[in-house]
Amino acid sequence: MRIDLHTHSSASDGTDTPAALVREAKAAGLDVVALTDHDATSGWAEAQEAADEVGITLVPGLEISTKLHHRGVHLLAYLPDPTYAPLVEVLGRILEGRSSRTPAIVAALRAHGIDLTENDVHREAGGSVAAGRPHVADALVRRGVVADRTEAFATLLSPGQPGYVNRYAPQLEEMIPIVVAAGGVPVIAHPWGRRGGTVLTEEVLAGLRGIGLAGIEVDHQDHPPELRERLRAIAADLDLLVTGSSDHHGLGKVDHDLGVNTTDPEEYERLVSLARR
Ligand code: AMP
Ligand code: FE
Ligand code: FE
Ligand code: ZN
């Protein structure tokens, strides 16, 4: 069984439609794929239809933008009830924060002398409800300002750079119980990746487990081998699930091909058994 529990479609900042993503997952030899768009469940229905067609198991999920001590933390939420009111409400606030950030980023870049319009960004965002910096990056590529998303993040869109604008995100400690109450399974995405930094220590993870955290994503491209082994040891200590995934974004992120990391079938079975759905 090959299981990839973290992918993005054009419902957020991936470049494949949900249906195309699922078909690619099948072609890549996966048996299970989770669709975990940023802050949005809008790709689920199309993905499920494609999954039924090609014969692959789809795990509906999300990657929720949260904050812990002012640092961004991405929380994967598997199989939550997408109609659970507190979840709907908080996702609405995050998406509203994303929409209102776009004009602010465009204004900041224009003030920096870059010729870019809100329309450029909307065109790149297309069917995505979760407008974000990757779409701004794509607009900058089309304008010839940068060569690719990587250069846009390296030079213009990251904290401290001319086009960086903060946006609303709920606290991680507030979000984990909401996911659990929605019947979902909360797993921290790439805990020691680019944005996690050192806030997610074993002590902090132990506290989060106490409020319902179910697992951590260990096998992720942001984690070099020695970090994976340390995280695996922490997960064993704390009895947290261990997941592995590609964090595939289509053409939007290099070195994140479908199935590049996978989740152990036993961990996957445990995860599914924790969902109330
Ligand atoms: P946002 O959600 O708008 O704050 O933008 C963050 C998103 O940008 C994350 O989901 C990443 O997938 C993506 N991202 C961050 N750094 C890079 C990079 N260097 N290249 C491509 N995508 C990136
Ligand atoms: Fe992303
Ligand atoms: Fe992430
Ligand atoms: Zn992701």
Side-chain angles (χ1 to χ4, degrees), residues 145-169:
V145 178
V146 293
D148 51 26
R149 283 188 181 183
T150 304
E151 188 187 342
F153 275 92
T155 59
L156 291 167
L157 300 178
S158 296
Q161 296 173 351
Y164 182 74
V165 176
N166 198 12
R167 65 178 163 84
Y168 166 77

Side-chain angles (χ1 to χ4, degrees), residues 21-82:
L21 174 82
V22 166
R23 285 195 291 266
E24 260 184 68
K26 177 72 182 181
L30 293 170
D31 302 289
V32 178
V33 65
L35 177 65
T36 53
D37 276 308
H38 296 286
D39 311 312
T41 61
S42 50
W44 288 9
E46 183 187 313
Q48 186 61 61
E49 207 173 298
D52 293 342
E53 249 172 60
V54 301
I56 188 172
T57 300
L58 176 78
V59 179
L62 305 124
E63 183 177 21
I64 306 174
S65 316
T66 76
K67 284 204 159 83
L68 177 68
H69 305 137
H70 305 287
R71 301 288 292 267
V73 175
H74 285 176
L75 183 67
L76 293 160
Y78 295 104
L79 297 153
D81 173 0

Side-chain angles (χ1 to χ4, degrees), residues 6 8 36 38 63 74 190 247 249 253:
H6 180 167
H8 297 265
T36 53
H38 296 286
E63 183 177 21
H74 285 176
H190 44 72
D247 200 358
H249 280 67
K253 224 175 193 181

Side-chain angles (χ1 to χ4, degrees), residues 99-120:
S99 308
S100 56
R101 182 180 58 164
T102 301
I105 293 179
V106 169
L109 289 170
R110 292 184 68 86
H112 187 64
I114 292 169
D115 187 20
L116 185 78
T117 67
E118 274 180 58
N119 255 338
D120 293 343

Side-chain angles (χ1 to χ4, degrees), residues 116 124 134-152:
L116 185 78
E124 301 301 333
H135 305 114
V136 177
D138 292 345
L140 290 168
V141 171
R142 202 174 294 267
R143 284 271 181 178
V145 178
V146 293
D148 51 26
R149 283 188 181 183
T150 304
E151 188 187 342

Side-chain angles (χ1 to χ4, degrees), residues 216-251:
I216 54 178
E217 186 180 59
V218 170
D219 292 301
H220 184 280
Q221 295 302 77
D222 278 5
H223 297 151
E226 65 275 17
L227 289 192
R228 296 185 188 200
E229 292 328 305
R230 280 166 58 197
L231 279 167
R232 222 182 295 282
I234 290 175
D237 265 5
L238 300 178
D239 193 28
L240 287 166
L241 290 168
V242 168
T243 67
S245 27
S246 63
D247 200 358
H248 185 68
H249 280 67
L251 303 173

